[in-house]
Amino acid sequence: MHSDPKITTYEVNFDGIVGPTHNYAGLSVGNVASLKNAALASNPKQGALQGLAKMKALADLGLKQAVLPPLERPDLHVLRQLGFAGTDENVIRKASREAPAIFSATCSASSMWTANACTISPSSDTANGKVHFTAANLANKFHRSIEAPTTSRVLASIFTDDQHFSHHEALPLGDHFGDEGAANHTRFCQQYGDKGVEFFVFGKYAFDNSKPFPKKYPARQTFEASQAIARLHQLDNQRTVYAQQNPAVIDAGVFHNDVIAVGNQNCLFYHQQAFLDTAKVLADLQQAFGDQPMHFIQVPESQVSIDDAVHTYLFNSQLVTLADNKMAIIAPAECQENQRVKDYLDSVIAADNPINQVKIYDVKQSMQNGGGPACLRQRVVLSEVEIAASNSAVYMNETLFETLNQWVNKHYRDSLTEQDLADPQLLVESRQALDELTQILNLGSVYPFQL
Ligand code: SUG
């Protein structure tokens, strides 16, 4: 509930477990890596193990870490809704033969990018003192628009206690209320338990065509969707800031704001080109934040180009606070392979700002679909009381790490191509894996095949 100095509040990273059907299908127009790597063979086992290794490393740094399970894929429920009938095997055979593009969309393991699962507002920001959750409708991409129903059941199975947690349905589907969750939402605060400033970044106005919008690639988040989330979460208008993303960077491949900016506590780390009106964004944030100065770390185009940002995912790093109250950048390995970005990271830790460490992790299986370290996690600010009221089985520790590694090694394949997705045996294997996972994580029945 509301900030009480005797109760400690944490930022908990809920990372998505990479699912057993992780593959490269080129499904995301506007996402450079997804299109470039379409048809590459994937390695789901390696993807899941890379994700677990990052989670464990962050837990070992003293951060609170938890997991979110993958969704059931291929999505037989959706295929049946679209008229494919018969046994599960028949549905898969018919859909993959007659509508391969639709079939491949129903196989995506895209729920691994849990930054897009939902938007969450901590209890200290909301009028009724509860943690609010809204599952993202992900309306802009068909393969992602089918995630919300199971995501909502999963969230409800972890954050069960309605004294502390309030769950909202995803916004209405359709372009007008396109909502991509926390990929476009950042929260600023002094200490995590304080009342914070919630910052929503959107790509276009859906109900006002006179305003600028991207021309080449879609704006996946609308202003009206962000406003609806703020209303549902009962946020304080004085502490809610909206900013439009620069349409030119969306057209250059920045499909979510978390590909060009990241924030933590009193610090915003962002590219010079990220926003349409940077001076106003910074002034609005500082005004909402109050008397204490924020740290605005602007990365100039002359040092890191948009192209370098898109290819290395420098800004899709996690910005976390360690025990010494200093911040660390958790960056993908690609940042070390680009000399300009590497030089920039060296300079940022030497400069006078809260960031004093860079840690590099290999999440290449996810990166090849346009998902870096920050895409793979949903940040949930929770007090120790709220943590105690949530499902304890999802929190990372030595035992869960061991168990999940064994589970991945037992159930996952180490290579998947488009043809493999049409193998009905893959559905059987995935369901077995997920059924076991719901027991490991004590989730009850959350998947359509379990209902
Ligand atoms: O929605 N890629 C995801 C990547 C999401 C990254 N998340 C954040 N930036 N927070 C997307 O575009 C590609 C799937 C494929 O092509 O197979 C994909 O869905």
Side-chain angles (χ1 to χ4, degrees):
M1 302 293 260
H2 280 288
S3 52
D4 171 345
K6 293 186 294 302
I7 296 177
T8 313
T9 297
Y10 302 90
E11 175 181 275
V12 189
N13 283 298
F14 279 74
D15 276 49
I17 299 176
V18 173
T21 63
H22 157 58
N23 72 95
Y24 301 115
L27 300 173
S28 278
V29 174
N31 168 342
V32 176
S34 153
L35 291 199
K36 185 175 124 207
N37 294 310
L40 198 78
S42 65
N43 184 335
K45 183 180 282 185
Q46 188 183 49
L49 296 177
Q50 286 174 344
L52 288 173
K54 171 175 91 82
M55 298 180 217
K56 181 62 165 45
L58 266 64
D60 289 346
L61 286 173
L63 297 162
K64 294 258 182 233
Q65 180 69 53
V67 301
L68 287 173
L71 304 187
E72 176 191 350
R73 295 291 179 266
D75 191 329
L76 269 281
H77 177 75
V78 163
L79 289 171
R80 288 182 190 283
Q81 240 187 318
L82 298 175
F84 297 102
T87 62
D88 288 348
E89 194 170 328
N90 277 341
V91 169
I92 291 175
R93 289 207 193 288
K94 271 194 226 159
S96 59
R97 239 189 345 249
E98 293 167 22
I102 296 171
F103 177 70
S104 119
T106 67
C107 293
S108 179
S110 52
S111 65
M112 71 174 83
W113 300 297
T114 53
N116 305 117
C118 55
T119 306
I120 296 182
S121 297
S123 52
S124 43
D125 296 356
T126 66
N128 68 353
K130 294 188 187 186
V131 185
H132 286 246
F133 302 78
T134 302
N137 64 19
L138 296 161
N140 189 260
K141 298 281 178 269
F142 174 68
H143 70 291
R144 306 221 58 185
S145 69
I146 57 178
E147 292 177 26
T150 305
T151 299
S152 291
R153 278 195 296 276
V154 166
L155 291 172
S157 74
I158 295 173
F159 303 101
T160 41
D161 186 341
D162 61 12
Q163 254 199 297
H164 295 286
F165 308 118
S166 175
H167 295 273
H168 306 281
E169 256 181 77
L171 299 182
L173 271 173
D175 190 51
H176 284 77
F177 289 99
D179 171 27
E180 302 276 323
N184 297 314
H185 173 254
T186 311
R187 176 176 184 265
F188 299 99
C189 58
Q190 295 287 355
Q191 298 302 324
Y192 291 116
D194 296 347
K195 190 167 176 176
V197 170
E198 299 212 11
F199 180 45
F200 292 86
V201 181
F202 58 91
K204 69 172 179 189
Y205 290 85
F207 289 82
D208 184 353
N209 291 337
S210 70
K211 298 269 176 47
F213 56 89
K215 300 287 177 332
K216 185 173 171 201
Y217 291 141
R220 290 166 66 162
Q221 178 92 29
T222 68
F223 169 66
E224 293 81 356
S226 301
Q227 257 193 335
I229 304 286
R231 264 193 304 271
L232 286 165
H233 292 196
Q234 306 178 9
L235 300 181
D236 177 349
N237 285 338
Q238 304 299 316
R239 292 187 150 250
T240 304
V241 176
Y242 300 94
Q244 183 165 1
Q245 222 184 326
N246 179 355
V249 300
I250 297 181
D251 281 340
V254 180
F255 57 98
H256 288 140
N257 179 60
D258 70 1
V259 175
I260 200 74
V262 58
N264 176 47
Q265 288 187 319
N266 58 359
C267 183
L268 173 64
F269 178 64
Y270 66 102
H271 191 276
Q272 186 179 13
Q273 309 282 345
F275 307 111
L276 192 57
D277 185 348
T278 310
K280 181 168 186 325
V281 174
L282 305 189
D284 287 353
L285 283 173
Q286 184 61 68
Q287 193 189 352
F289 198 73
D291 298 341
Q292 298 291 323
M294 288 183 67
H295 288 275
F296 294 119
I297 306 178
Q298 175 171 291
V299 182
E301 173 76 26
S302 58
Q303 275 180 279
V304 177
S305 66
I306 293 290
D307 199 50
D308 281 342
V310 168
H311 286 94
T312 62
Y313 263 39
L314 167 64
F315 296 93
N316 203 259
S317 297
Q318 292 174 246
L319 188 56
V320 296
T321 305
L322 299 180
D324 59 1
N325 264 328
K326 289 287 188 183
M327 295 188 195
I329 291 188
I330 309 296
E334 285 72 3
C335 288
Q336 273 201 323
E337 292 155 14
N338 176 312
Q339 196 58 45
R340 290 177 297 278
V341 171
K342 191 172 177 304
D343 290 347
Y344 180 77
L345 280 171
D346 288 343
S347 74
V348 89
I349 40 181
D352 182 21
N353 63 48
I355 304 170
N356 77 345
Q357 275 191 64
V358 175
K359 302 229 168 240
I360 302 285
Y361 297 98
D362 178 5
V363 289
K364 193 169 175 139
Q365 285 291 320
S366 166
M367 282 287 285
Q368 291 179 154
N369 249 339
C375 300
L376 285 162
R377 62 91 177 95
Q378 174 71 230
R379 296 192 271 193
V380 193
V381 168
L382 295 169
S383 71
E384 55 193 326
V385 177
E386 291 156 351
I387 292 177
S390 61
N391 173 354
S392 61
V394 299
Y395 290 89
M396 185 54 75
N397 55 33
E398 294 289 341
T399 314
L400 183 61
F401 181 65
E402 280 307 310
T403 308
L404 289 177
N405 272 282
Q406 281 165 16
W407 171 81
V408 169
N409 281 313
K410 174 173 160 199
H411 294 284
Y412 279 51
R413 298 193 186 184
D414 57 15
S415 172
L416 270 189
T417 60
E418 201 186 328
Q419 291 89 298
D420 298 322
L421 296 173
D423 172 7
Q425 186 55 29
L426 182 65
L427 175 72
V428 175
E429 289 167 24
S430 302
R431 283 183 173 170
Q432 265 166 8
L434 296 185
D435 207 35
E436 211 174 294
L437 186 65
T438 49
Q439 291 165 43
I440 296 171
L441 301 179
N442 198 15
L443 297 174
S445 298
V446 289
Y447 296 114
F449 77 91
Q450 297 174 316
L451 299 175

